[in-house]
Amino acid sequence: MPRDKTRPGGGFTLLWVSSAFGEFAYSTSLIVLPLIVLALTGSPSQAGIIGFVDAAAMLLAGLPAGAVADRYDRRTVMLWCQAALVAVFGALALLLWADAVSLPALVLLALVNGAATALTMAAGEAMIPSLVAQERLSDAVAMNAARTYAGQLAGTSAGGFLLAVKNAFPFVVGCLAHLAGLVLLLFLKRQPPAAGAPDRPVLSGRGLMEGVRWTMSHPFLRVGLVCATATNFFFGVIYFIVIASAQTSGMDTGLIGVMAALLGVGGLLGALAAPLLQRVLTGARPIHVVLWAFVVLTAGIAVLPGGWTPGVLLGAIAFAAPTANAYFTTAQLTLTPDSLRGRVVSVAAIASGGGGAIAPLAGGIVLDLAGRSAGLLGCTAVMAVIAVLTSLSPALRDVPEPATAGAAPPGGGPADETPPAAEPAAVTPPPVR
């Protein structure tokens, strides 16, 4: 008798908990590595190299990661990534314990950390539809978002505490977290590539670009990705302006930390509330609501008084975002054939992640040229234009049914060399849509 997949469980729970350990370890390293480099070299610029290497590795590995996730057993890909992370975290912990660490060793960890995270994200997200029923897919996506926010909150908090005890401890704990994630994945069933996936080389130019072509050929996916990229970029700009202007105005660093914490708490609560909100906001309404909430709340940050106001309103923006993210990701997964899911997921991660990566630079330029209030109001105006255009877009009014997932994308051309035989011919859309 086939397994009941009416609710996330079994394999999805194993994947979720394994990934939670990875999120925790990644967030811990993200805050600890620059501090260790700063203590080692005394150079803020060299400390900044670590964050750049991690982000660059994640972005550059994005398309190849998606191709690998589509061509090989996704569970095996994740196992190899976890094994590599166990090795580098463990090696760095030993070097720190022996007081023999060097900048190249720290850069190597950041490089492996970023690339392995890109591979794990592509393989793990592409695996979700095979682990849960169609009607629970949006709930599973929302649970993943909650896991990410919880991992960030726990990881950054634990990282600072462990570093204060001994500089090797964050990596000892990170090594054990990745080891626990690896062990859990051993109990997950194999996730072989989709039947019908072509045998051409994984890293061929055409193979890498198939995810881009598929996304661009679907009006809904194309417009949704533009919205996600713009929102991530402008949120990053606004966050940088708020934090930087607070620091230059002499605000207490504890209050600045509370503002950052409110952002994480808002995101976590929003991810937990996303399944319920999606039942209220049907169709593409989550995207429209989030964009207009972004506009109104950003204007509030610009003009409303009060030291706590920016943190509360940033938290409110973060609360709204997971509902739109869950809606778009669910549609993306159901509209994409299994043989392309890894690459399409990677395209979305690169686009939205790239926008977020350059946001601090843009935020600094805007703050220098326009100041806090004018810069925030300028962001509000641009986001209002994006919200209007999105509200008028026919791509988000006529959302395609998930039943097209195994078909060729609009505009002609096959989705892949051969349609995946394991993909159902028609999928009943989730009732919450």
Side-chain angles (χ1 to χ4, degrees):
M1 179 178 292
R3 180 174 60 91
D4 179 16
K5 298 199 299 179
T6 57
R7 66 187 61 189
F12 177 78
T13 301
L14 288 171
L15 175 64
W16 193 93
V17 177
S18 172
S19 298
F21 281 116
E23 294 273 7
F24 172 82
Y26 179 78
S27 297
T28 300
S29 69
L30 211 57
I31 191 172
V32 166
L33 277 174
L35 297 176
I36 290 179
V37 173
L38 191 59
L40 182 67
T41 66
S43 169
S45 61
Q46 291 191 35
I49 289 174
I50 292 295
F52 171 78
V53 168
D54 186 285
M58 190 178 295
L59 288 174
L60 292 175
L63 286 180
V68 169
D70 286 337
R71 293 295 180 261
Y72 297 107
D73 180 279
R74 289 165 181 158
R75 168 181 169 271
T76 302
V77 170
M78 296 184 72
L79 282 170
W80 278 109
C81 289
Q82 292 288 2
L85 289 167
V86 168
V88 294
F89 270 72
L92 188 58
L94 290 174
L95 289 173
L96 286 166
W97 204 287
D99 200 22
V101 74
S102 63
L103 181 61
L106 296 168
V107 170
L108 177 62
L109 173 64
L111 187 66
V112 175
N113 211 18
T117 299
L119 277 161
T120 301
M121 287 172 57
E125 192 162 320
M127 199 188 299
I128 297 173
S130 67
L131 300 177
V132 299
Q134 171 71 27
E135 63 270 16
R136 299 309 299 263
L137 182 56
S138 61
D139 292 352
V141 171
M143 288 174 65
N144 275 0
R147 182 198 70 212
T148 298
Y149 282 109
Q152 289 172 351
L153 284 171
T156 52
S157 301
F161 171 76
L162 293 169
L163 184 63
V165 178
K166 186 174 179 60
N167 61 4
F169 279 4
F171 301 98
V172 173
V173 173
C175 176
L176 293 174
H178 283 300
L179 181 60
L182 187 153
V183 171
L184 287 170
L185 287 175
L186 292 174
F187 293 94
L188 187 65
K189 290 183 179 180
R190 293 182 68 252
Q191 300 290 322
D199 293 328
R200 60 173 169 268
V202 172
L203 300 181
S204 68
R206 183 179 177 186
L208 291 177
M209 295 303 294
E210 280 175 342
V212 177
R213 284 194 293 269
W214 177 269
T215 301
M216 293 300 102
S217 68
H218 275 278
F220 171 78
L221 296 182
R222 184 171 63 243
V223 173
L225 185 57
V226 170
C227 291
T229 303
T231 303
N232 276 5
F233 171 74
F234 280 103
F235 186 83
V237 170
I238 292 163
Y239 179 76
F240 182 89
I241 291 174
V242 168
I243 296 299
S245 60
Q247 189 171 21
T248 55
S249 68
M251 180 181 287
D252 181 73
T253 54
L255 183 55
I256 295 175
V258 170
M259 284 199 297
L262 286 172
L263 179 68
V265 171
L268 176 59
L269 294 176
L272 294 173
L276 175 61
L277 292 176
Q278 285 186 97
R279 288 164 172 78
V280 177
L281 301 171
T282 56
R285 289 185 183 88
I287 294 178
H288 300 312
V289 169
V290 167
L291 287 175
W292 283 111
F294 196 126
V295 171
V296 173
L297 292 170
T298 303
I301 293 172
V303 301
L304 293 178
W308 290 91
T309 302
V312 172
L313 296 183
L314 282 172
I317 296 173
F319 177 85
T323 301
N325 176 68
Y327 169 73
F328 175 72
T329 302
T330 301
Q332 180 189 68
L333 290 172
T334 53
L335 289 168
T336 306
D338 188 55
S339 59
L340 282 173
R341 280 193 183 122
R343 280 163 288 180
V344 171
V345 165
S346 293
V347 169
I350 291 170
S352 58
I358 63 174
L361 174 61
I365 295 173
V366 169
L367 187 59
D368 284 340
L369 296 179
R372 181 186 186 276
S373 295
L376 290 172
L377 290 173
C379 291
T380 301
V382 177
M383 283 303 301
V385 172
I386 294 173
V388 169
L389 294 176
T390 302
S391 298
L392 298 175
S393 171
L396 294 185
R397 287 201 305 269
D398 303 319
V399 181
E401 293 294 332
T404 61
D416 217 322
E417 294 285 338
T418 307
E423 200 74 18
V427 182
T428 303
V432 297
R433 295 292 167 257

